[in-house]
């Protein structure tokens, strides 16, 4: 991947290149990021998510303490393991992200200096890599030194490192990120437009991070915790109040985080319509009942066949992971990260459906739903036929009815979501609405959005630069993006006046297709570039992905630093 910052380029880019033709068929207008605002509903949603997090963790720890006081050390150990281990994994990942985001390099400081000077002069130049490297060195020279203001700045940085280390040591990374999201959202409401956009996109980046972390934590902690507690209750033939509270909190956390993840993902992409809170609540009910039926069937079967249950879970996970890998997903920036991600999604597929591929999902969802239905019936039937003598017929029939009715209710809410509340609009048949996509080519169409020169906030896919506008520069292997002041260009008389909007970051990658995150959301190098430029430039930098209509040209986007 390679990218560069072009600043105020010539307005010739208003032309639609032949490889990105306009669509003759008008489409629904895409929402513009500049029009998005942090609302009271968003604030309440974040507070509720924080409440769900606290209730899930606190109920599990309270239950573990209760097991210890009852001298039930085996249940205490298992409950505590499913709390501590996933939490440590999430803290390590969160701290790794913090280290990368907070570490200031000479290149990022120089980028801010170059971007700031270029934004003021509006007369950019595109020299070769040696001259650009000299410019970066000069920019780095004006950064604070170790003495004076630099010393105070170093103390502040050391304090931030200490605070973050303590936060992650005490397993509070999720709380900090939720609070930080609230702070950034409120700040985006209080500042003027340019600063509002900056805070809003910092809030979006933070929301993406916390949604990914919480989704990972939910299926590493809440899902196995729910199965464990249900299995203990079935074997003991009684339900303690704390067991019911812990199981309920785990179930709500699972359903909440899947729906929250989908909402944040849709909000982050300008080629998809946002999900309303009414649709989110219906999706929560959908996952609440389907996951409830699934975990209850697991617990019933595991209460009788512990060994076979473990074999079944491992086999199901392997099959689902292979199915996901075979589908060639495109979420991560490297092959090995993609494989690890697919393995994690395989854990999600043990419990519920999770869309990981772009396009029509009717067949894939139908196959998965039928597979889960057959497995639930088989697991529940095996428990019913081999249940212990202490289990009465009335209790057994009641459990079977709960599993069946819960799955039926979840399927009903799934149909309600797809037929009435899907972001693409209500449809008569649910098969026609599954993940409708707005093609990348249509993002440059005048019928669907403003001209690229008028777009002022990321993320926005712009048209590709024509050959006459392009410069050939020496490439450097391993460079991912380049921030440099571009050369001023005279606009032809037949075009509009040159833009004064600031830098354009070109990414030598096609835009990832939904339901994947855009590259500038998951690649933290691009994210740092956007935030550095945005803090220095008078307006928000714009993002341009390579069009899918043309084959990749290695030298089309320069890779110099």
């Amino acid at each position: 991947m390679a990218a560069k910052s072009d600043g105020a380029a010539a307005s010739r880019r208003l032309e639609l290149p032949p490889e990105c033709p306009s669509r003759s068929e008008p489409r629904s207008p895409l929402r513009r990021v500049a029009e998005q605002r942090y609302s009271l509903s968003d604030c309440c949603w974040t507070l509720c998510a924080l409440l769900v997090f606290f209730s899930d963790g606190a109920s599990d720890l309270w239950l573990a303490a209760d097991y210890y006081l009852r001298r039930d050390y085996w249940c205490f150990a298992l409950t505590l393991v499913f709390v501590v281990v996933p939490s440590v994994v999430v803290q390590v990942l969160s701290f790794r992200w913090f280290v990368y985001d907070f570490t200031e390099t000479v290149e990022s400081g120089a980028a801010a200096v170059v971007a700031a000077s270029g934004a003021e002069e509006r007369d950019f130049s595109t020299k070769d890599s040696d001259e650009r490297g000299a410019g970066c060195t000069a920019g780095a020279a004006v950064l604070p030194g170790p003495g004076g203001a630099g010393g105070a700045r170093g103390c502040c940085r050391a304090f931030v490192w200490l605070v973050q280390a303590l936060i992650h040591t005490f397993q509070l990374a999720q709380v900090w990120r939720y609070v930080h999201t609230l702070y950034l959202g409120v700040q985006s409401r209080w500042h003027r437009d340019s600063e509002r956009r900056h805070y809003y996109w910092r809030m979006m980046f933070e929301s993406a991070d916390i949604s990914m972390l919480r989704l990972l934590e939910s299926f590493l902690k809440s899902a196995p915790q729910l199965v464990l507690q249900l299995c203990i209750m079935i074997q003991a033939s009684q339900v303690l109040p704390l067991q019911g509270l812990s199981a309920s909190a785990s179930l709500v956390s699972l359903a909440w985080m899947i729906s929250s993840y989908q909402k944040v993902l849709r909000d982050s992409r300008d080629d998809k319509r946002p999900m309303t809170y009414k649709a989110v609540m219906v999706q929560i009910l959908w996952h609440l009942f389907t996951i409830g039926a699934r975990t209850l069937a697991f617990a019933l079967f595991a209460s009788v066949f512990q060994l076979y249950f473990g074999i079944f879970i491992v086999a199901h996970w392997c099959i689902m992971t292979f199915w996901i890998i075979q589908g060639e997903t495109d979420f991560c920036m490297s092959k090995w990260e993609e494989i690890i991600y697919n393995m994690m999604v395989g854990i999600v597929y043990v419990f519920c459906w999770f869309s990981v591929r772009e396009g029509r999902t009717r067949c894939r969802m139908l196959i998965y739903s039928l597979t889960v239905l057959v497995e639930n019936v088989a697991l529940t039937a095996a428990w019913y036929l081999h249940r212990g003598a202490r289990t009465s017929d009335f209790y057994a029939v009641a459990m079977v009815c709960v599993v069946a009715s819960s799955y039926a209710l979840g399927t009903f809410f799934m149909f309600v979501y797809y037929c009435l509340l899907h972001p693409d609009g209500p449809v008569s048949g649910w098969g026609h609405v599954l993940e409708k996509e707005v093609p990348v080519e249509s993002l440059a169409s005048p019928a669907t959005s403003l001209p690229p020169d008028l777009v002022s906030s990321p993320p926005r896919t712009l048209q590709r630069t024509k050959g006459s506008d392009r410069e050939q520069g020496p490439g450097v292997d391993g460079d991912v993006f380049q921030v440099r002041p571009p050369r001023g260009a005279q606009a032809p008389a037949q075009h509009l006046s040159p833009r004064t909007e600031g830098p354009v970051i070109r990414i030598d990658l096609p835009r990832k297709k939904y339901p994947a995150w855009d590259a500038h959301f998951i690649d933290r190098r691009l994210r740092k570039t956007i935030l550095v430029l945005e803090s220095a430039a008078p307006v928000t930098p714009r993002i341009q992905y390579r069009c899918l209509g043309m084959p990749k040209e290695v030298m089309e986007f320069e890779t110099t630093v």
Side-chain angles (χ1 to χ4, degrees):
M1 179 181 60
K4 69 178 181 178
S5 173
D6 268 1
S11 60
R12 286 177 293 183
R13 289 177 191 162
L14 282 173
E15 298 178 353
L16 290 177
E19 61 268 26
C20 294
S22 300
R23 305 277 298 192
S24 58
E25 177 184 355
R27 289 181 177 268
S28 302
L30 298 174
R31 54 194 172 87
R32 296 190 295 272
V33 176
E35 296 175 353
Q36 292 183 345
R37 296 186 67 87
Y38 190 75
S39 64
L40 179 61
S41 300
D42 298 329
C43 180
C44 293
W45 178 261
T46 305
L47 290 175
C48 290
L50 195 57
L51 178 62
V52 170
F53 169 76
F54 275 124
S55 62
D56 187 19
S59 61
D60 291 341
L61 291 176
W62 193 3
L63 180 60
D66 185 71
Y67 282 141
Y68 183 82
L69 295 176
R70 293 172 179 270
R71 299 180 184 274
D72 194 346
Y73 299 119
W74 182 244
C75 293
F76 160 75
L78 288 177
T79 302
L80 194 61
V81 163
F82 285 132
V83 173
V84 174
V85 174
S87 181
V88 171
V89 172
V90 170
Q91 304 302 314
V92 170
L93 180 59
S94 175
F95 191 75
R96 180 174 178 268
W97 288 352
F98 160 75
V99 169
Y100 190 89
D101 292 339
F102 192 69
T103 301
E104 291 185 359
T105 60
V106 173
E107 290 80 7
S108 63
V113 174
V114 172
S117 61
E120 293 174 358
E121 298 173 4
R122 293 178 185 170
D123 185 16
F124 306 114
S125 61
T126 51
K127 304 294 184 182
D128 56 31
S129 60
D130 293 336
E131 292 175 295
R132 284 192 291 271
C136 288
T137 304
V142 301
L143 295 177
R153 190 162 173 262
C155 293
C156 292
R157 286 176 51 79
F159 177 75
V160 172
W161 276 99
L162 177 61
V163 170
Q164 287 294 327
L166 292 175
I167 287 174
H168 287 79
T169 301
F170 287 102
Q171 312 295 298
L172 295 174
Q174 300 93 318
V175 177
W176 159 251
R177 290 186 180 273
Y178 273 129
V179 172
H180 194 213
T181 301
L182 283 172
Y183 167 78
L184 294 174
V186 171
Q187 289 295 317
S188 71
R189 295 281 300 183
W190 288 353
H191 288 78
R192 59 182 182 271
D193 286 345
S194 59
E195 294 179 337
R196 179 183 66 82
R197 289 193 300 268
H198 177 75
Y199 279 109
Y200 185 85
W201 279 108
R202 286 181 62 192
M203 185 271 296
M204 287 299 300
F205 289 149
E206 194 69 61
S207 298
D209 287 345
I210 188 60
S211 64
M212 287 186 245
L213 290 174
R214 286 286 291 128
L215 185 70
L216 173 64
E217 183 187 32
S218 296
F219 282 93
L220 289 180
K221 183 186 80 170
S222 301
Q225 191 75 259
L226 177 59
V227 175
L228 172 65
Q229 301 310 323
L230 288 175
C231 187
I232 293 174
M233 287 185 281
I234 292 171
Q235 284 186 329
S237 298
Q238 64 174 347
V239 179
L240 299 176
L242 285 179
Q243 289 176 332
L245 179 62
S246 174
S248 300
S250 298
L251 181 58
V252 171
S253 179
L254 283 169
W256 185 283
M257 287 317 305
I258 295 175
S259 303
S260 179
Y261 177 90
Q262 295 293 341
K263 175 173 173 52
V264 174
L265 176 57
R266 274 191 167 270
D267 288 345
S268 72
R269 297 189 61 108
D270 62 351
D271 58 340
K272 288 294 176 180
R273 295 182 180 275
M275 188 183 297
T276 64
Y277 284 106
K278 185 188 300 183
V280 175
M281 295 308 298
V282 172
Q283 197 174 97
I284 289 176
L285 293 175
W286 160 21
H287 293 300
L288 189 73
F289 286 109
T290 53
I291 295 177
R294 183 75 165 162
T295 53
L296 183 56
F298 284 169
L300 292 174
F301 185 79
S303 65
V304 179
F305 305 101
Q306 289 85 1
L307 177 61
Y308 290 116
F309 174 71
I311 296 175
F312 164 78
I313 291 295
V314 173
H316 182 92
W317 173 77
C318 291
I319 294 173
M320 292 293 106
T321 302
F322 177 78
W323 187 33
I324 297 167
I325 294 176
Q326 185 271 338
E328 298 181 352
T329 59
D330 185 25
F331 274 73
C332 301
M333 305 306 296
S334 68
K335 177 182 177 181
W336 291 109
E337 288 179 344
E338 194 72 30
I339 293 176
I340 295 174
Y341 177 83
N342 291 336
M343 294 171 65
M344 298 307 303
V345 174
I347 298 176
V348 179
Y349 269 50
V350 172
F351 296 91
C352 67
W353 166 258
F354 189 76
S355 179
V356 292
R357 283 185 59 189
E358 169 270 340
R360 296 170 64 87
T361 59
R362 175 173 54 186
C363 293
R364 296 194 297 272
M365 179 180 286
L366 182 61
I367 292 173
Y368 179 83
S369 299
L370 291 177
T371 301
V372 168
L373 177 61
V374 171
E375 288 178 349
N376 288 351
V377 171
L379 295 175
T380 307
W383 169 81
Y384 184 84
L385 296 175
H386 298 85
R387 66 186 188 276
R390 294 188 304 170
T391 305
S392 64
D393 292 339
F394 176 79
Y395 177 79
V397 172
M399 288 292 100
V400 173
C401 291
V402 168
V403 173
S405 60
S406 180
Y407 191 79
L409 276 173
T411 305
F412 167 76
F413 283 112
M414 179 186 70
F415 275 96
V416 170
Y417 169 75
Y418 278 114
C419 296
L420 300 177
L421 298 172
H422 194 276
D424 287 336
V427 292
S428 56
W430 75 291
H432 300 288
V433 72
L434 294 175
E435 307 303 346
K436 287 195 275 187
E437 176 196 7
V438 179
V440 175
E441 298 89 342
S442 67
L443 295 175
S445 172
T448 59
S449 63
L450 293 175
D453 284 30
L454 300 181
V455 177
S456 59
S457 298
R460 177 67 64 186
T461 301
L462 305 180
Q463 65 223 24
R464 207 164 77 178
T465 307
K466 291 185 174 182
S468 59
D469 297 332
R470 210 163 46 234
E471 293 180 22
Q472 296 290 333
V476 179
D477 293 337
D479 297 329
V480 176
F481 56 80
Q482 175 213 350
V483 180
R484 65 179 178 83
R487 175 187 306 166
Q490 296 295 330
Q494 66 269 25
H495 293 292
L496 300 177
S497 58
R499 294 174 302 177
T500 59
E501 292 181 78
V504 174
I505 300 175
R506 294 181 185 173
I507 303 174
D508 189 18
L509 280 176
R511 188 175 189 181
K512 290 180 177 292
K513 295 183 178 180
Y514 182 84
W517 295 89
D518 280 320
H520 56 274
F521 268 83
I522 59 175
D523 191 325
R524 309 190 83 81
R525 297 166 293 182
L526 290 176
R527 187 188 295 193
K528 287 179 67 175
T529 304
I530 294 170
L531 294 178
V532 166
L533 286 175
E534 191 163 37
S535 63
V539 294
T540 303
R542 293 165 301 134
I543 296 175
Q544 175 179 349
Y545 285 94
R546 178 165 54 85
C547 278
L548 294 173
M550 292 289 288
K552 178 178 180 180
E553 302 175 20
V554 176
M555 292 303 297
E556 173 157 358
F557 293 98
E558 298 177 11
T559 56
T560 54
V561 174

